[in-house]
Amino acid sequence: IYESADEKAIITLLAHKVIQASLEEGIKEARFLLQDWLTMLLLRYNKEVGSFKELDLKFGHFQNLSNLTRYVFALFKAPLLQTENMETDRLTYLQWLYTGSCSSILPQMLYPNMQGWADLNTVMDVTLSLNSTSTISSNSSIFVVDSLFAIIIYYTTKASSLPYPPPPNCLLMEGIQ
């Protein structure tokens, strides 16, 4: 494990490997491969940094890998690796889409970006975790979630006086377009 490793390149290569495994050996085997890969990576990392008393699951010593476990979990939960009620055409489309995506786009397809806005023209938090704790602890009044397939704008009660939908000339809408 190298400190200079790029988590987006890693998850892109891993997604390609898992898709290939799902085509050759089936979805169940691909899921096992993903679990084994993450387990081995976390064990090796914790062995290298010497943190076996309390396992570090977020790569605390390597800031550039801090979201890797989140991306792997998202890949594990992606429709691509689900075995129930998957239409063949949809599965083929997802395989094509994921393998054809570059490392700057694929992670966002797996785990959407969320931003917090104070108002329609002021960004407060550029990158928030996609969970309820982030929205509760943030002082933002508007949240924007971008998954590349859909953009969701969520107004909290703090934003009740702001116009909805946002006007086209505000920074929030300019950033979306």
Side-chain angles (χ1 to χ4, degrees):
I1 301 169
Y2 296 100
E3 190 173 352
S4 61
D6 181 10
E7 67 185 8
K8 290 182 178 184
I10 292 170
I11 194 64
T12 301
L13 291 172
L14 183 60
H16 291 190
K17 185 175 183 174
V18 168
I19 290 168
Q20 188 65 36
S22 73
L23 293 171
E24 294 173 0
E25 301 170 28
I27 292 176
K28 281 188 175 185
E29 284 299 316
R31 290 172 64 88
F32 286 131
L33 171 76
L34 188 59
Q35 282 179 317
D36 288 346
W37 182 89
L38 182 59
T39 302
M40 295 304 294
L41 180 69
L42 287 170
L43 287 174
R44 286 182 187 154
Y45 167 76
N46 281 285
K47 182 180 177 183
E48 290 295 321
V49 298
S51 62
F52 274 116
K53 290 182 181 177
E54 188 175 318
L55 290 178
D56 178 3
L57 303 177
K58 295 185 179 183
F59 300 100
H61 295 287
F62 297 164
Q63 187 62 31
N64 55 322
L65 297 178
S66 62
N67 290 318
L68 187 58
T69 52
R70 184 175 290 149
Y71 290 143
V72 172
F73 181 74
L75 179 59
F76 192 75
K77 291 295 190 178
L80 185 67
L81 294 179
Q82 303 308 311
T83 55
E84 310 90 34
N85 303 326
M86 179 60 75
E87 299 170 7
T88 306
D89 288 344
R90 179 166 165 75
L91 182 60
T92 303
Y93 165 72
L94 289 173
Q95 290 167 344
W96 173 83
L97 183 65
Y98 283 41
T99 55
S101 297
C102 63
S103 62
S104 63
I105 294 175
L106 184 72
Q108 191 174 353
M109 288 170 36
L110 292 171
Y111 191 85
N113 293 335
M114 183 165 73
Q115 293 181 338
W117 291 70
D119 56 44
L120 297 170
N121 294 304
T122 310
V123 179
M124 284 189 72
D125 300 303
V126 177
T127 305
L128 291 170
S129 295
L130 196 59
N131 58 42
S132 58
T133 306
S134 292
T135 57
I136 292 168
S137 63
S138 174
N139 288 326
S140 301
S141 54
I142 302 170
F143 295 97
V144 178
V145 178
D146 182 2
S147 71
L148 293 179
F149 301 110
I151 296 176
I152 299 167
I153 302 172
Y154 174 72
Y155 278 48
T156 65
T157 54
K158 298 177 201 172
S160 60
S161 63
L162 299 174
Y164 187 84
N169 61 348
C170 69
L171 284 179
L172 188 143
M173 289 304 286
E174 288 176 12
I176 289 173
Q177 296 171 355

